[in-house]
Amino acid sequence: MPGLVDTTIRLLGQEPLAGRIPTADLYRLAEILDGAGFACLEVSGGGCFDSAVKRGVESPWERVRALKTRVDTPLAMALRGRFLVGSRPFAGDTIRRFVGIAAENGIDLFRIHDPLNDVDGLREAAEAIIAAGCAFDAGLVYSAGRTGEPETLLEQARKLPELGASRVVLHDPTGSLQPHRASELVKSLAEASGLPVGAYFQGVGGNALSASIEAARAGADLISCCAYPVALTLHRAPAEELAATLHGLGIASGVEVETLWQACDLIDEHIGDELIAPLAPRIAVRAAEHSFPAGLVAALDDHLRAHAAGDRLDDVLEELTRIRQETGWLPLASPSSQILASQALINVLSASRYQTVVDELRSILAGRFGKTPGEPDAAVKRAVELVTAGDDVPAEHTPQVDALREQAAGLASSEEEILLLALFGEKAEALLRTIRSRTEPPGEEMMGVDLPRAERIREIVALVQESGVGEITIEDGDMRVTVRRTDTSVPASAAAAPLATPELAQTPELRPSGETIRVEAPMVGTFYRSPSPGAVPFVDIGDPVVPGQTLCILEAMKLLNEVKSDHGGIVRAIHKGDAEPVQFGDLLFELEPLNGRPLDAY
């Protein structure tokens, strides 16, 4: 009898559905799903942490704790191996602390996969999970090409028992795994690994549902699904149809379909009449043709349209296929799919291949992220080395947690909050400030209000922040308090204010020359002058700059790229505004060199 794992709560906590359902109703939904008979509820993962940090309202740890108090069904979390919930690998100390805190907060089961399908990259996370007394399912990512070949997957599956995995999970994020192939792979993986096999499928046109059914018939013992409205929106297998179909085939799942319809009614109250991230047939067809995740193709299309290049989608998809082959057939799961897509956009819109290289792709080609399924093209690898020679490559690991304690004083008050800083850096600071504001003692703005009433006001503010309610008014004797929700959304790529603004190196007094140096965009993206909304811009007109100093940030496909000055001088003009799209070669800044020195003298 296969068990079903429900992913509704996790999917509602990440884009594009994050924040659509008030927190209170999300907890009610969990209580309904708790009574439906699922083997476990997958409630968190990388997308949930990312959305929570960007929204800056509720800690992702708070949600896990609250869910644990409301349900008896085991809770699960999805992790990207040693990448945890981010796009770079983390140090062993950070991995152990993250897993330990997740277990303490109520996570019973972890589903982990490596972005490169390198099982050896799961070792540190596996050891941490076992040490925390939890179980883990090891995911193998299926993607057309080198990572879709049975021998590649079976070779990795044979290593999993040694890691202590409870089962192998066949994960298809592209929707390219045909039902008959799903049946064959489930049987082959079980034989090769000696472990039970689970299925985690996506795909438009009913592919996720049909592949899940065939996996169950082939003996898969755990299959993912979600509530009908979420399944229709995000192209997953609907739990209602999956449970009913399995019952009709004589395969009991233990899930009560009638209870699931109650969950649908609650979700429909909030998103039943909305078109959320609709997938145009043109996008679905392109995704199926190229065997790419439909959401990735939709994101590429949106990005191209924002830069007046909507007619270049086919070019970018063909370039993405070519890059994937050249870099060793990376699986198309997060975050590797976003890294490859960003490079494809840069190559096509700049009309030059690998002249500008995404930092994460440089690390992959250098072997810093693990072993790729295939061998990267030697010519491309050498070209990237030559183009980026002398450039600083960002460190693969975040700072040690202990090293952040002193720096985070007054901002992070617990181990889990320090971990958020370690994982997300400056982007987590706005969230932590919101959390701190709930427990700060009354300030001058509350003078004249007794302490119990002040606490009630803070509770009201927190309720409005977390619930999505537009306005709430409370009357208590002679006091009337109205709290209105305002739009505090920020650009998805904007980071939070830094802990401390580093002092720039002292620039000697030099005489301006009257000439100008053009600083042009090295890639397409969205322009940001400062590290976060309201923060001091990197530079302003009249500021002196030194070689290597950051001038701005360009964001593309959720990856942040710093634009640094190659020369010293004075900022004389800034040609772009915050959140403004830029094309390759667009003029961003004009610098006036000092002392009339030739440009190649720096």
Side-chain angles (χ1 to χ4, degrees):
M1 178 179 92
L4 301 187
V5 51
D6 181 82
T7 61
T8 303
I9 300 297
R10 178 177 66 79
L11 295 173
L12 287 172
Q14 63 189 50
E15 298 301 334
L17 299 177
R20 301 271 182 167
I21 297 183
T23 302
D25 282 349
L26 201 65
Y27 295 152
R28 285 178 53 206
L29 176 63
E31 292 168 353
I32 294 173
L33 296 173
D34 183 46
F38 287 106
C40 65
L41 304 178
E42 190 171 279
V43 297
S44 190
C48 295
F49 274 74
D50 191 56
S51 294
V53 167
K54 287 177 180 177
R55 295 182 68 231
V57 174
E58 177 190 26
S59 167
W61 299 115
E62 291 177 6
R63 177 162 295 186
V64 172
R65 280 195 298 275
L67 288 168
K68 188 64 176 179
T69 64
R70 288 167 167 80
V71 303
D72 295 320
T73 306
L75 300 186
M77 173 182 283
L79 295 182
R80 302 161 187 167
R82 63 193 181 110
F83 291 65
L84 294 177
V85 292
S87 59
R88 294 178 181 276
F90 294 93
D93 174 65
T94 304
I95 295 171
R96 288 189 294 273
R97 293 176 189 245
F98 182 95
V99 169
I101 289 175
E104 289 174 6
N105 282 325
I107 296 299
D108 304 289
L109 173 69
F110 293 84
R111 176 173 62 88
I112 61 177
H113 76 273
D114 180 77
L116 304 186
N117 248 7
D118 180 7
V119 167
D120 290 333
L122 301 177
R123 193 170 302 277
E124 288 180 302
E127 291 173 353
I129 293 169
I130 293 172
C134 298
F136 75 93
D137 295 343
L140 295 177
V141 182
Y142 177 92
S143 298
R146 182 77 170 81
T147 46
E149 296 176 3
E151 274 310 311
T152 300
L153 296 175
L154 297 180
E155 178 185 353
Q156 297 297 314
R158 295 185 184 101
K159 303 176 183 178
L160 294 176
E162 176 195 350
L163 297 183
S166 299
R167 66 173 51 81
V168 184
V169 174
L170 182 58
H171 179 198
D172 173 28
T174 65
S176 59
L177 181 59
Q178 297 172 332
H180 72 283
R181 294 276 289 163
S183 176
E184 295 169 359
L185 279 173
V186 166
K187 295 175 182 177
S188 299
L189 289 171
E191 182 178 351
S193 67
L195 297 173
V197 177
Y200 188 94
F201 299 148
Q202 301 178 33
V204 298
N207 193 70
L209 177 60
S210 56
S212 297
I213 292 169
E214 287 303 309
R217 297 178 69 176
D221 79 324
L222 193 67
I223 302 173
S224 73
C225 54
C226 59
Y228 221 124
V230 177
L232 291 175
T233 302
L234 300 179
H235 324 297
R236 303 305 205 272
E240 297 81 358
E241 288 297 336
L242 179 58
T245 302
L246 292 179
H247 178 76
L249 293 172
I251 304 174
S253 66
V255 171
E256 298 178 2
V257 177
E258 288 303 317
T259 302
L260 299 183
W261 293 123
Q262 298 175 29
C264 288
D265 289 341
L266 179 55
I267 297 171
D268 281 343
E269 290 179 13
H270 301 283
I271 66 173
D273 294 323
E274 296 187 37
L275 285 175
I276 301 173
L279 189 66
R282 175 178 60 88
I283 301 301
V285 170
R286 296 296 190 282
E289 177 185 359
H290 294 274
S291 297
F292 292 152
L296 182 69
V297 177
L300 285 169
D301 185 61
D302 290 342
H303 195 90
L304 289 168
R305 288 175 179 274
H307 291 83
D311 59 338
R312 304 298 303 277
L313 180 61
D314 287 334
D315 296 336
V316 172
L317 295 180
E318 290 173 5
E319 178 66 9
L320 177 53
T321 300
R322 185 178 177 187
I323 292 173
R324 187 169 173 242
Q325 180 176 0
E326 292 171 341
T327 55
W329 291 108
L330 272 63
L332 292 171
S334 295
S336 57
S337 58
Q338 288 89 343
I339 295 170
L340 294 174
S342 295
Q343 190 63 53
L345 279 170
I346 292 171
N347 286 3
V348 169
L349 296 183
S350 66
S352 60
R353 306 193 76 236
Y354 299 113
Q355 289 302 304
T356 300
V357 182
V358 176
D359 288 338
E360 288 83 355
L361 187 61
R362 293 164 58 192
S363 293
I364 288 172
L365 291 175
R368 296 183 180 93
F369 282 10
K371 180 177 174 56
T372 56
E375 189 64 29
D377 184 273
V380 169
K381 189 174 180 179
R382 180 56 179 160
V384 170
E385 291 174 354
L386 292 173
V387 168
T388 59
D391 291 352
D392 292 331
V393 179
E396 289 80 18
H397 301 304
T398 55
Q400 292 291 327
V401 175
D402 289 334
L404 290 173
R405 292 187 187 281
E406 183 176 348
Q407 184 183 11
L411 185 63
S413 64
S414 64
E415 186 86 351
E416 64 184 40
E417 291 178 354
I418 293 175
L419 260 179
L420 290 177
L421 285 174
L423 296 171
F424 294 96
E426 296 170 353
K427 291 189 290 185
E429 292 180 30
L431 171 61
L432 295 181
R433 290 193 183 95
T434 298
I435 295 172
R436 294 284 75 72
S437 69
R438 300 175 190 167
T439 57
E440 289 175 353
E444 293 182 1
E445 72 278 4
M446 289 192 179
M447 291 185 64
V449 180
D450 58 79
L451 186 59
R453 285 183 172 182
E455 291 299 327
R456 288 197 63 193
I457 293 172
R458 288 194 190 86
E459 291 177 7
I460 294 168
V461 172
L463 176 63
V464 172
Q465 286 179 317
E466 297 176 5
S467 68
V469 173
E471 178 178 320
I472 187 169
T473 299
I474 301 293
E475 294 189 20
D476 182 6
D478 59 348
M479 182 183 73
R480 176 187 176 93
V481 177
T482 299
V483 179
R484 295 184 180 87
R485 183 182 182 87
T486 59
D487 185 4
T488 58
S489 60
V490 298
S493 60
L499 290 170
T501 303
E503 294 184 3
L504 300 179
Q506 291 296 319
T507 304
E509 288 196 26
L510 298 172
R511 179 174 53 82
S513 68
E515 301 173 358
T516 59
I517 303 169
R518 293 169 58 91
V519 179
E520 299 177 347
M523 58 184 291
V524 296
T526 303
F527 178 91
Y528 293 105
R529 287 189 58 197
S530 59
S532 68
V536 177
F538 291 109
V539 295
D540 213 332
I541 293 176
D543 286 351
V545 298
V546 296
Q549 182 176 331
T550 300
L551 301 176
C552 66
I553 288 174
L554 293 182
E555 180 270 333
M557 295 294 292
K558 298 185 179 180
L559 297 178
L560 303 179
N561 302 273
E562 293 184 349
V563 176
K564 299 181 179 181
S565 176
D566 292 330
H567 309 283
I570 304 293
V571 179
R572 291 306 183 201
I574 301 174
H575 292 274
K576 297 293 181 179
D578 266 332
E580 186 175 343
V582 300
Q583 304 290 335
F584 174 78
D586 279 2
L587 180 60
L588 303 180
F589 300 89
E590 288 184 77
L591 307 180
E592 184 177 359
L594 298 169
N595 282 351
R597 283 178 281 182
L599 301 186
D600 59 359
Y602 290 92

